[in-house]
Amino acid sequence: MSTKCNAILSPLLAFGARPFKGLDIAIFSQPIVLGWPLSAGVRTLATEKTLPFNKPCKLFRLEEGPPEEGTLTHDDALSLYKSMNYIRRIETASGNLYKEKVIRGFCHLYSGQEAVAVGMRAALRPQDTVITAYRDHGWVYMMGVSPLGILAELTGRQSGCARGKGGSMHMYTHNFFGGNGIVGAQAPLGAGVAFAHKYKGNGGVSLTLYGDGAANQGQLFEAMNIAKLWDLPCIFICENNGYGMGTSAERASANTAYYTRGDYVPGIWTVTDYNLAGQVDGMDVVAVREATAWALEYCRSGKGPLVMEAATYRYSGHSMSDPGTSYRTREEIQEVRQTRDPITSFKERILSHELVELDELKAIEQEVRKVVDEAVKQAKGDKEISLEELYADVYSHPVEQEIRGTTAFRRHRHSRIGPAVNQ
Amino acid sequence: MGVEFDHVKVNVPVVFRGPNGAAAGVAAQHSQCFGAWYSHCPGLKVISPYSSEDAKGLLKAAIRDPDPVICLENEILYGVAFEMSSEAQSKEFLIPLGKAKVEREGSHVTLVAHSKAVQTCLDAAEELSKSHIDCEVINLRSLRPLDFSTIATSVKKTHNLVTVEQGWPQCGIGAEIAARAHEDECFYHLDHPVVRVTGADVPMPYTKTLELNAIPQAADVIECVRQILNR
């Protein structure tokens, strides 16, 4: 076949013979014969866009950093939009279930921070792992647990990802190490997982997330020290939502530039949903993705750990016990919701760049609503595990077969529900 | 111009206070009772208030104490109101560290507990009294020093001892009390070996029904008392 034919056929094969419009240059190395109206009358959409980010990454102890632009395909856009919507709807449902007292204990919502989990997950490869604290529902979803698995875990029923025994703060899945209730305790664990990646030589990187409150924990600095000493493939990510429970970052930290707190560990600061000079930039979920992809490559190549600060915001209080308005104004929350919401601003952006159609987005919103509402119903109606399971899974390999109950007169058989993901 | 010191001794007059043990629905990483862990350490004093007057008197005494004191408070009890005598409401009300209180007098069995478990014992005692079983309920108030002499005096009267705690059984407060009962003369007054009622020996689950069964309830105490009294 002639080279001219190839030049026509390969892009067509790549994009399934859709007509092109607005495609930026330099995507293909070969010149393209343009503009055939291959299917007359079909609405022309961009299939791909490369755009610069509104606010570049800030760098600390780095000569160069992540790219200042990212490419978003039509399918990417829909996928990111869908994920963020799922998280938002799951969190809203969780809040309502908590108010109905169907969810008990602690419940920390991720609403407003979706761009972080979604953007980062988009850059992860199969060998990478994630560990975070208690604001984990969004991450649990991104790491592969279904809405039912999450909601039923929150309601304490058997379809939950931990059979209902764990609750909000104790959710785990493949390559996801929780779900940790104690502030900052996940930092040394994350460094340990990074050590495991290095030891096993699997090229994996450990994403270790913490908040602006946990950023002052001593154990984080211990973890950073060993990670730097041993060149561990660990990205320490501070999800800075401005408040550690009810204490603002300014009142808690002597240095609020969290991406510099690693001292000898290089750092990058990336914006997830900030409004810059009146412009809304919903591509920032892509900025997070690009920054994370760059960071993953940096760590994977053996250059050691990185600190990454993602500037974000949470709409709810620290947890459902906190109204979230005694230490910040309702106006502030409203302003973020109206001008910097990661979902609505992303929606406006991808529509204005004609990457997607409004109908496609509406279809996604409907699907999300339907799936999550159904999951809520199931999570409420599902059964609890039986009482015998109180004495199950205490050990993977129990030496003694019996477990003592509340009195010496009652002994119970240990059982294994298993198998474990790392059996 | 310097000052010379010989044989400088330094006190450590610090109080650490905070929530301890199970709340409601906070599961494995947020429910552990550290009573046994802290009371294990020489050099520390450990208090565990039950009622409002305990909380006030013990904490006030702890602050004035020149030694380090750990004050373990129960989250569920934060929301419970207690009557306070006018003496307890007075400005200088202090409760001595290392001294237990007999919350309810009885002659058939001694129930010993600290913090929330005191309520469990009182509830059980109330129920058992309907069957004419009179329980003496002792509120330890302090875990270290542990006031065993109050327990020994009671055992010499009742001849039966049941310890109740929300913490886990192995190396727990009940285990310590049972060991001391063996080492003390009151052992010869016991009609039945010491029985411990504790949290189930499992990490705290989130599932509601399982959580209820992981912590001793009044029914567990009642069952044990009936078993050892054989009625």
Side-chain angles (χ1 to χ4, degrees):
Chain A
M1 234 186 254
S2 72
T3 43
K4 188 178 173 195
C5 256
N6 268 341
I8 301 167
L9 278 175
S10 48
L12 291 179
L13 287 166
F15 288 98
R18 286 182 73 170
F20 308 124
K21 184 187 166 195
L23 195 63
D24 281 325
I25 55 168
I27 305 292
F28 305 105
S29 51
Q30 300 157 327
I32 305 163
V33 177
L34 287 182
W36 291 12
L38 294 163
S39 344
V42 172
R43 162 108 164 74
T44 52
L45 278 180
T47 48
E48 208 169 81
K49 276 286 177 190
T50 301
L51 286 164
F53 303 134
N54 220 356
K55 212 164 181 184
C57 272
K58 293 195 238 184
L59 305 176
F60 175 71
R61 291 201 195 282
L62 284 166
E63 291 304 312
E64 42 178 32
E68 292 180 11
E69 58 182 24
T71 303
L72 194 61
T73 66
H74 163 267
D75 289 348
D76 280 347
L78 289 183
S79 166
L80 295 173
Y81 186 73
K82 187 192 282 204
S83 294
M84 288 200 285
N85 267 283
Y86 262 110
I87 297 176
R88 181 66 62 91
R89 190 122 191 127
I90 290 171
E91 294 299 71
T92 307
S94 303
N96 291 336
L97 284 169
Y98 194 91
K99 289 177 194 154
E100 291 172 38
K101 298 196 200 291
V102 181
I103 296 179
R104 306 174 304 121
F106 294 141
C107 190
H108 309 81
L109 299 181
Y110 203 66
S111 309
Q113 301 185 208
E114 295 86 356
V116 181
V118 174
M120 290 190 177
R121 179 66 182 89
L124 290 187
R125 306 148 311 160
Q127 65 269 46
D128 298 321
T129 56
V130 176
I131 187 170
T132 185
Y134 40 74
R135 203 174 302 282
D136 60 338
H137 310 160
W139 274 104
V140 179
Y141 175 74
M142 292 315 296
M143 295 307 283
V145 177
S146 68
L148 177 63
I150 298 172
L151 289 164
E153 187 56 41
L154 291 170
T155 58
R157 312 298 164 90
Q158 63 184 8
S159 306
C161 58
R163 299 180 67 72
K165 274 177 115 173
S168 172
M169 301 185 289
H170 307 90
M171 297 193 195
Y172 308 87
T173 186
H174 186 60
N175 279 353
F176 181 67
F177 292 82
N180 292 277
I182 306 302
V183 175
Q186 73 278 12
L189 297 184
V193 176
F195 184 41
H197 286 313
K198 179 162 182 168
Y199 190 86
K200 294 202 254 190
N202 60 15
V205 175
S206 164
L207 267 67
T208 302
L209 294 121
Y210 57 96
D212 45 287
N216 298 315
Q217 278 272 317
Q219 54 193 324
L220 174 63
F221 296 94
E222 290 180 42
M224 286 180 179
N225 179 61
I226 207 75
K228 183 65 181 167
L229 264 181
W230 292 352
D231 285 326
L232 300 183
C234 188
I235 310 177
F236 294 97
I237 302 164
C238 179
E239 286 182 289
N240 180 7
N241 60 20
Y243 299 92
M245 281 183 75
T247 308
S248 68
E250 296 72 40
R251 287 177 57 222
S253 305
N255 174 9
T256 54
Y258 296 103
Y259 70 107
T260 66
R261 298 285 293 275
D263 183 19
Y264 36 77
V265 180
I268 57 180
W269 176 93
T270 181
V271 64
T272 61
D273 57 2
Y274 268 12
N275 179 352
L276 183 61
Q279 287 172 298
V280 171
D281 194 331
M283 288 291 267
D284 293 300
V285 65
V286 185
V288 173
R289 185 191 73 187
E290 293 309 310
T292 307
W294 182 89
L296 285 168
E297 186 47 41
Y298 179 100
C299 288
R300 191 210 58 77
S301 65
K303 296 201 186 99
L306 273 180
V307 176
M308 194 160 136
E309 180 186 344
T312 181
Y313 197 83
R314 58 161 160 85
Y315 296 139
S316 310
H318 164 74
S319 71
M320 288 304 296
S321 330
D322 169 26
T325 47
S326 56
Y327 46 87
R328 54 184 186 173
T329 61
R330 287 184 204 277
E331 286 75 38
E332 178 191 299
I333 307 170
Q334 270 303 93
E335 195 234 338
V336 177
R337 238 192 230 283
Q338 277 158 11
T339 62
R340 311 181 219 158
D341 184 274
I343 300 179
T344 52
S345 54
F346 186 60
K347 180 180 184 177
E348 282 165 27
R349 189 74 165 182
I350 55 180
L351 282 173
S352 72
H353 283 287
E354 296 180 336
L355 257 179
V356 298
E357 296 216 48
L358 188 57
D359 283 345
E360 291 177 300
L361 300 186
K362 286 204 166 121
I364 287 177
E365 287 159 23
Q366 270 171 6
E367 176 204 314
V368 168
R369 232 192 320 271
K370 183 161 164 287
V371 171
V372 176
D373 287 356
E374 178 59 36
V376 168
K377 221 171 83 185
Q378 276 191 270
K380 278 170 96 163
D382 198 13
K383 290 192 319 186
E384 280 182 348
I385 49 179
S386 68
L387 196 46
E388 285 90 63
E389 284 200 51
L390 178 58
Y391 310 100
D393 292 331
V394 179
Y395 291 100
S396 173
H397 180 68
V399 177
E400 295 175 328
Q401 294 312 312
E402 288 192 326
I403 301 247
R404 184 185 161 120
T406 51
T407 77
F409 302 120
R410 290 172 183 274
R411 303 197 82 84
H412 307 265
R413 264 205 99 61
H414 180 275
S415 59
R416 275 295 272 150
I417 309 296
V421 293
N422 58 344
Q423 191 101 22
Chain B
M1 195 160 43
V3 185
E4 269 185 55
F5 294 96
D6 288 331
H7 309 295
V8 176
K9 299 183 181 72
V10 184
N11 291 337
V12 186
V14 63
V15 177
F16 296 96
R17 60 167 283 254
N20 174 66
V26 293
Q29 291 179 13
H30 262 80
S31 305
Q32 189 178 344
C33 174
F34 283 92
W37 286 42
Y38 287 118
S39 68
H40 190 62
C41 305
L44 290 183
K45 291 176 180 165
V46 183
I47 57 179
S48 183
Y50 155 64
S51 61
S52 299
E53 72 169 50
D54 282 356
K56 174 182 171 178
L58 286 170
L59 189 61
K60 204 175 179 68
I63 293 169
R64 294 183 182 190
D65 197 291
D67 289 313
V69 184
I70 313 289
C71 179
L72 303 171
E73 302 168 353
N74 183 284
E75 262 185 78
I76 305 289
L77 290 177
Y78 282 151
V80 177
F82 290 86
E83 297 242 337
M84 274 183 98
S85 62
S86 50
E87 189 215 343
Q89 288 182 61
S90 69
K91 266 192 92 177
E92 286 299 304
F93 176 68
L94 296 168
I95 292 178
L97 304 193
K99 198 85 185 69
K101 179 186 180 197
V102 178
E103 296 281 351
R104 181 185 173 123
E105 287 190 10
S107 54
H108 296 139
V109 59
T110 302
L111 305 178
V112 182
H114 71 100
S115 187
K116 181 76 168 59
V118 174
Q119 187 61 55
T120 310
C121 291
L122 289 171
D123 293 343
E126 192 55 41
E127 185 58 34
L128 285 164
S129 69
K130 297 175 191 164
S131 308
H132 307 293
I133 297 175
D134 295 317
C135 305
E136 181 142 293
V137 178
I138 297 179
N139 171 9
L140 281 172
R141 286 180 156 178
S142 294
L143 297 180
R144 188 173 185 117
L146 199 153
D147 180 8
F148 191 74
S149 70
T150 300
I151 299 174
T153 305
S154 176
V155 166
K156 288 175 188 165
K157 179 173 68 166
T158 66
H159 312 297
N160 292 286
L161 178 55
V162 176
T163 69
V164 186
E165 68 200 283
Q166 295 204 329
W168 293 315
Q170 184 148 338
C171 303
I173 305 297
E176 174 64 21
I177 293 172
R180 292 203 197 186
H182 280 81
E183 295 170 341
D184 187 270
E185 198 253 335
C186 77
F187 170 79
Y188 298 98
H189 297 259
L190 282 170
D191 287 346
H192 188 280
V194 179
V195 165
R196 299 175 292 165
V197 180
T198 67
D201 199 18
V202 297
M204 181 63 72
Y206 173 68
T207 315
K208 190 159 189 195
T209 314
L210 270 58
E211 186 184 26
L212 275 171
N213 281 272
I215 293 276
Q217 307 295 330
D220 296 315
V221 179
I222 292 169
E223 183 195 325
C224 281
V225 169
R226 288 194 182 281
Q227 186 104 340
I228 67 178
L229 293 183
N230 211 10
R231 50 185 182 116

